[in-house]
Amino acid sequence: MTCSQVREMAGAYVLNALTRHDRQRVDHHLDRCARCRKEVGELADAAALLSFSLSPAEPPAAVRARLFGCLAGPAPAAPSAHPQAARPGRISRRELFRPGVLRVAVVAAALFALGLAGGAWLHGRSFEAGTRAQLALARAESELWRGLARRPSAMVRLEPAPSLRHAVALAAVEGLGDACSIRLVGAGLPAPHAGARYRVQLELTDDSSWEVGELTPTQTGLWALTARVPVPPHRIRVVRVDLEERAPSARGKPAVLLRGSLQRAGPQASGEPGRP
Amino acid sequence: MKTRVEAPKAVPPQEAREDRALSSPDGALLGRIAAGDQQAFAVLYDRYAPAVLGVARRLLREREQQEEVLQETFLTVWRKAATYDGRRGRLSSWLLAIAHHKAIDLLRRERHGRPVPLQGEPRQADGRATGDGARDPDRAGPGDQGSDPTAQAAQGLEARSQIEQALALLTLEQRQVVWLAYFAGLTHREIAARYGIPLGTVKSRLRSAVERLRDVLQAEGAGGWDRV
């Protein structure tokens, strides 16, 4: 099989639409051709987008046990799904932020955004812009989960200011006694201008605030931060991302770019848009 | 039937490794999985099993089949971790592709000799049907959670919306063939024969569709997703 034949079949290959025989022929070529392998690899990543667009499902514990039963050697213990679920006094609404519920919230937000975009949809490109925002969300969610070892006790979606309509950020909070671990991933955020940075701040229930740190770019074009802060999760009211000048002389009031509330009643984990 | 799968090289799990595993990027995990580290394998499983099961649930009706795909996908990862080639795509892409491939295999086996059930249709951006029937991946099968019809309808609506938004990036012709291939499990030859489209056209539409998705990702500034 030649390179041009492989390229012709590459779409069908990454979508699993080849017969077994055709697939083996393409595999045979890819084993030997670095250029085609690279090109097909990029297409495979793009095709995975279709799988990422599907709702994840909670795997039954029995499957996990069965799987590890098939492996040689002792099976590692399953991580506690809700390490703090039985403890009172933690985040009172943590159940509302379970990933499954978050998924519903995210999808509800997506449907809402879709509704908002409905008028402009007919004009074509606006719908695509809305879809890009959804893709940004899917990528942020994927990246967030990549960095999480277990289900966090709370998750929140940070809504963007109107000036950043394609941006989105997700934060996961895990309680660690009197402290917590926070992971935040932002997608669709442009690089800040020279001399500025994305700063993650917590607004606490006693109206004080805590600076978590700075978002740094990932190799995938996203922005992320993982940090531990000496604040128990139930004291966190809002997670937000500001754009702040680095130089003290240029520092005015930072612009609030993304904002999400952890203390909101109801199943929606999303916060209110900030106002720069 | 339970089969025992020997690790490529047995390494006893250690408590001390767990913390490192929890924050490991996929690539580092895979290296340890290839060395037989079950703790790393557990981290990878817990990270991606929901997405893998999500793929299986959208393609297969029976809960047993869905769980078989989940289990077999991760057994494949366990067995083939050492042979994974990062140049052929990200680890998550590879893992989801394995899941999709296994689900498609079961789907094709199930419908062997029978026509593809026409339970749904890809829709145009305005919600009209394209006129090309295919198995609707969003339908709630008997293996789905709960029996509340409202909840099932809502679940289907949510998933449909997400899939349609991904597909909305494509032209109608591209959307049609992607739907038939990816969600209905037809091969490119079957699509050509069934819909009277020249095989070369099917191939080029599938390719241009995936290229379109790739271009959108790259236009977002990602420059391609990371490789592990």
Side-chain angles (χ1 to χ4, degrees):
Chain A
M1 186 171 263
T2 64
C3 289
S4 65
Q5 286 173 318
V6 167
R7 288 202 191 106
E8 194 186 20
M9 287 192 176
Y13 177 82
V14 298
L15 293 169
N16 282 324
L18 291 182
T19 59
R20 192 178 295 271
H21 177 65
D22 287 336
R23 184 169 191 85
Q24 285 170 348
R25 291 170 64 213
V26 174
D27 276 333
H28 185 72
H29 179 89
L30 293 180
D31 284 341
R32 287 157 183 76
C33 178
R35 201 171 64 169
C36 287
R37 201 159 51 222
K38 178 175 182 297
E39 190 174 334
V40 170
E42 289 173 0
L43 294 179
D45 286 344
L49 182 65
L50 294 169
S51 290
F52 277 121
S53 75
L54 299 171
S55 298
E58 183 78 33
V63 176
R64 192 184 195 281
R66 211 160 53 225
L67 172 67
F68 282 91
C70 290
L71 308 181
S80 168
H82 298 280
Q84 299 170 37
R87 289 191 229 162
R90 289 288 163 194
I91 297 176
S92 58
R93 297 174 188 85
R94 79 170 61 84
E95 279 302 305
L96 300 178
F97 301 128
R98 282 184 297 127
V101 178
L102 175 76
R103 170 71 56 176
V104 171
V106 164
V107 172
L111 290 173
F112 179 62
L114 188 62
L116 287 181
W121 188 354
L122 298 174
H123 296 288
R125 292 196 63 80
S126 293
F127 177 74
E128 183 172 319
T131 304
R132 280 170 183 251
Q134 290 308 306
L135 296 182
L137 176 62
R139 296 184 57 225
E141 195 174 5
S142 167
E143 178 65 26
L144 186 77
W145 280 104
R146 274 165 51 103
L148 292 178
R150 57 173 66 86
R151 180 174 299 151
S153 51
M155 294 185 74
V156 61
R157 176 178 174 179
L158 280 63
E159 295 291 343
S163 58
L164 280 176
R165 61 197 175 110
H166 299 321
V168 68
L170 297 170
V173 179
E174 179 67 29
L176 303 167
D178 288 335
C180 68
S181 169
I182 292 182
R183 177 163 169 79
L184 192 145
V185 175
L189 281 170
H193 60 269
R197 63 173 181 165
Y198 290 129
R199 193 181 62 162
V200 179
Q201 288 269 35
L202 303 179
E203 294 175 13
L204 307 182
T205 49
D206 61 1
D207 291 333
S208 62
S209 61
W210 187 276
E211 179 169 345
V212 181
E214 187 177 338
L215 285 182
T216 54
T218 71
Q219 292 179 351
T220 63
L222 303 175
W223 293 81
L225 166 74
T226 303
R228 289 188 180 195
V229 292
V231 175
H234 67 268
R235 284 190 57 212
I236 301 172
R237 190 164 51 85
V238 166
V239 181
R240 69 167 210 255
V241 177
D242 298 346
L243 181 67
E244 186 191 70
E245 299 294 336
R246 287 179 190 276
S249 57
R251 219 172 268 174
K253 192 176 179 184
V256 179
L257 298 183
L258 297 138
R259 196 167 188 277
S261 171
L262 276 170
Q263 298 283 323
R264 194 171 173 178
Q268 291 277 344
S270 56
E272 296 167 3
R275 294 182 184 284
Chain B
M1 188 181 71
K2 185 186 282 191
T3 52
R4 294 190 71 78
V5 181
E6 292 298 328
K9 194 172 74 178
V11 174
Q14 294 173 15
E15 291 283 329
R17 285 208 302 267
E18 184 175 4
D19 283 346
R20 292 206 309 275
L22 299 183
S23 57
S24 291
D26 291 345
L29 282 178
L30 202 65
R32 291 173 45 197
I33 292 167
D37 184 339
Q38 289 195 26
Q39 200 68 58
F41 186 56
V43 172
L44 192 78
Y45 178 85
D46 293 327
R47 196 173 284 174
Y48 288 114
V52 168
L53 189 58
V55 171
R57 281 187 59 184
R58 292 300 164 199
L59 289 163
L60 299 167
R61 194 180 295 270
E62 302 297 332
R63 182 186 290 272
E64 292 73 21
Q65 290 185 323
Q66 297 164 4
E67 294 181 359
E68 181 185 338
V69 166
L70 175 60
Q71 179 171 326
E72 289 300 315
T73 297
F74 279 93
L75 279 177
T76 301
V77 170
W78 176 254
R79 291 188 193 110
K80 296 192 174 177
T83 62
Y84 164 72
D85 183 353
R87 293 165 298 187
R88 290 200 186 185
R90 288 183 314 151
L91 174 61
S92 57
S93 306
W94 179 59
L95 209 150
L96 290 171
I98 292 171
H100 184 260
H101 194 229
K102 290 187 182 298
I104 289 282
D105 266 357
L106 283 175
L107 193 61
R108 288 178 184 162
R109 218 180 299 158
E110 186 185 50
R111 70 150 201 266
H112 184 66
R114 286 184 285 137
V116 178
L118 305 181
Q119 298 184 21
E121 296 176 307
R123 306 219 162 235
Q124 299 182 45
D126 59 4
R128 285 183 288 123
T130 62
D132 300 292
R135 174 180 285 245
D136 181 355
D138 305 324
R139 78 277 179 274
D144 289 328
Q145 312 293 330
S147 57
D148 177 357
T150 307
Q152 287 188 359
Q155 187 184 36
L157 183 65
E158 290 155 10
R160 184 191 297 278
S161 169
Q162 289 193 332
I163 295 163
E164 285 181 355
Q165 291 200 43
L167 293 177
L169 295 165
L170 311 176
T171 67
L172 183 59
E173 290 78 14
Q174 291 169 339
R175 206 148 61 220
Q176 175 193 13
V177 291
V178 166
W179 186 277
L180 291 169
Y182 204 75
F183 295 118
L186 297 184
T187 66
H188 64 329
R189 294 181 192 279
E190 287 172 328
I191 295 170
R194 186 182 171 99
Y195 292 89
I197 306 170
L199 183 59
T201 305
V202 175
K203 287 183 200 170
S204 64
R205 284 181 187 171
L206 288 172
R207 182 183 166 90
S208 62
V210 184
E211 283 176 338
R212 172 79 179 120
L213 295 175
R214 179 197 63 190
D215 293 345
V216 169
L217 288 175
Q218 292 182 345
E220 281 189 332
W225 291 354
D226 63 331
R227 302 295 167 84
V228 292

